[in-house]
Amino acid sequence: MTAPVARIATRELRWALRAEPQAAGEARRLARNTLGLWGLEHLDDVELVVGELVANAIVHGRGPVSLALLHGRDSLRVEVADQRPDWEPMDSDAWPSLDDEHGRGLPIVSACTDLWGVEYAPRPEDGKVVWCSWVIPRPRAAE
């Protein structure tokens, strides 16, 4: 399923990341700084979700890895791409328990976003994009 939000971005930034564990922290910093520049610093979950998606791309995907933030009129979309052409979705009934040490990334993404999913490149060797999005309520006009 493709998200209808943030497909027409008024602002868009993309970064190439190294496929190493430190990239998740770098991605969180990039997201935090960008949201501040865009006046969206109130979206606390974005930084958390960016870190989870980048960590998943590094651990389960294949480099190189990239991060994109797309800000539409009333939405924000995050995209994390890697070069691994396949993805094994986790059945929500099999999500980890509170005692498990690993496997919480996608449940966190699911809980913290309005929509999320996976888009595959037309050519398998070009990998996939895991995306998520939030609807951003517009400020109410002063009465």
Side-chain angles (χ1 to χ4, degrees):
M1 174 171 85
T2 300
V5 295
R7 294 308 289 171
I8 300 174
T10 57
R11 298 175 183 156
E12 179 176 334
L13 288 174
R14 295 182 180 275
W15 299 271
L17 303 171
R18 288 184 240 166
E20 55 189 37
Q22 298 86 346
E26 175 70 6
R28 286 190 299 272
R29 184 185 64 75
L30 291 166
R32 180 177 53 250
N33 292 344
T34 300
L35 293 176
L37 289 172
W38 291 349
L40 301 174
E41 54 276 325
H42 63 283
L43 298 176
D44 298 328
D45 291 341
V46 175
E47 188 178 339
L48 172 66
V49 169
V50 163
E52 293 295 335
L53 291 180
V54 170
N56 280 353
I58 291 166
V59 171
H60 303 291
R62 183 182 323 145
V65 173
S66 66
L67 167 67
L69 298 178
L70 300 91
H71 179 217
R73 182 174 170 184
D74 57 1
S75 62
L76 178 72
R77 179 175 165 116
V78 169
E79 297 178 351
V80 175
D82 72 77
Q83 299 304 300
R84 184 173 172 184
D86 60 338
W87 182 70
E88 295 181 23
M90 181 185 289
D91 182 353
S92 61
D93 293 335
W95 284 5
S97 72
L98 294 175
D99 297 328
D100 291 337
E101 292 184 24
H102 300 285
R104 289 190 184 86
L106 292 179
I108 288 171
V109 171
S110 181
C112 293
T113 63
D114 292 325
L115 293 169
W116 73 278
V118 180
E119 294 176 356
Y120 299 94
R123 299 179 322 163
E125 61 270 19
D126 291 335
K128 66 184 172 305
V129 173
V130 180
W131 59 267
C132 59
S133 62
W134 293 261
V135 174
I136 302 170
R138 292 186 198 154
R140 292 176 48 154
E143 296 179 17

